[in-house]
Amino acid sequence: MYGTSHPSLIVLLTCASLSVACTLITLYIIKAINRWNGYIQLIFNLAMAQLIYDASMVLIPFRHHYSLIESIYIAIRCISGLVATSITNILASVVAYAVWKRSTYDINKALRYANPIICIPSTLVGSMVAISLAVDQGSTFWSYTYGALRVVSILINISLYIVLTCTLYLRNRNSPNKSRNDPLEVLVNRFKYYPLVQVISRAAVVIHEVKYGFEYYYEDGGSVSLQKKISLYCYVTTLPSLGILYFLVFLSVSPGAFSTLKHSVSRLFLRVCCCS
């Protein structure tokens, strides 16, 4: 059994800590800006789901010592992972709808129905993954169901991103004199990267899990191929990296986000200097 001394676990927990910190900063900026609409509500929900997903990794070093901790960790990871990936699908769909219909979508109204539609199936599938693994170690149906849902989510995001990019390209080519301040294009450029970074981050995770399984380390002293080691370290780096990527996207595309962060850091620095 391993504690936190294995190099791959150290990488995993370090990346998870950075991701949690970035997500907390994202939530702070959202609160500081205090400009709520349907899109920001989606980003807030996404950040909360990702925060729970990344924070659950603190249980990893203890999961093989206590079966209950293992079940709790699996359930939290699966539920929050499905909620987060479903929200990226909604973001991609809403942006695609805005482009196709050339009008914005009433997200606030949709969220009343979308939240339970997302949370109830995610909770069911995630709980069943944990229960099935705890009761029957050989059961793989729910684990494959979870994996399949994540893969389907990635494929949906890729498809929507390609359609979105092609549609915007054709529209701009046919209207070369269109203003760059077009509200629709501003909206698209602001939110289209959230599903994209989810695809980028999950690609290495899916490949590793399909090929090598779900462990976060390799046995010391055994014969481990270089390919597996590279895959493992890509896995433990990208698995908890979405909070970091979402944070960078949020700073880049959300009006006032970077200036709010800069102002908060400057104010904190001045307080520290004054106290010193």
Side-chain angles (χ1 to χ4, degrees), residues 12-28 47-58 240-245 247:
L12 176 69
L13 295 175
T14 300
C15 291
S17 299
L18 290 173
S19 190
V20 167
C22 287
T23 303
L24 289 174
I25 296 173
T26 299
L27 293 172
Y28 166 77
M48 289 299 299
Q50 194 61 43
L51 177 64
I52 295 171
Y53 182 91
D54 294 330
S56 70
M57 293 184 188
V58 73
S241 66
L242 265 174
I244 301 171
L245 296 177
F247 170 66

Side-chain angles (χ1 to χ4, degrees), residues 57-111:
M57 293 184 188
V58 73
L59 299 174
I60 288 176
F62 311 101
R63 66 192 186 101
H64 286 314
H65 298 281
Y66 306 98
S67 58
L68 179 60
I69 290 180
E70 167 118 17
S71 298
I72 292 172
Y73 164 70
I74 292 173
I76 292 175
R77 178 188 163 184
C78 292
I79 293 170
S80 57
L82 286 175
V83 170
T85 197
S86 298
I87 293 173
T88 63
N89 290 152
I90 292 177
L91 265 172
S93 300
V94 165
V95 173
Y97 175 91
V99 172
W100 293 334
K101 297 293 184 179
R102 300 192 180 188
S103 63
T104 57
Y105 187 77
D106 187 0
I107 300 179
N108 286 318
K109 182 178 179 181
L111 281 176

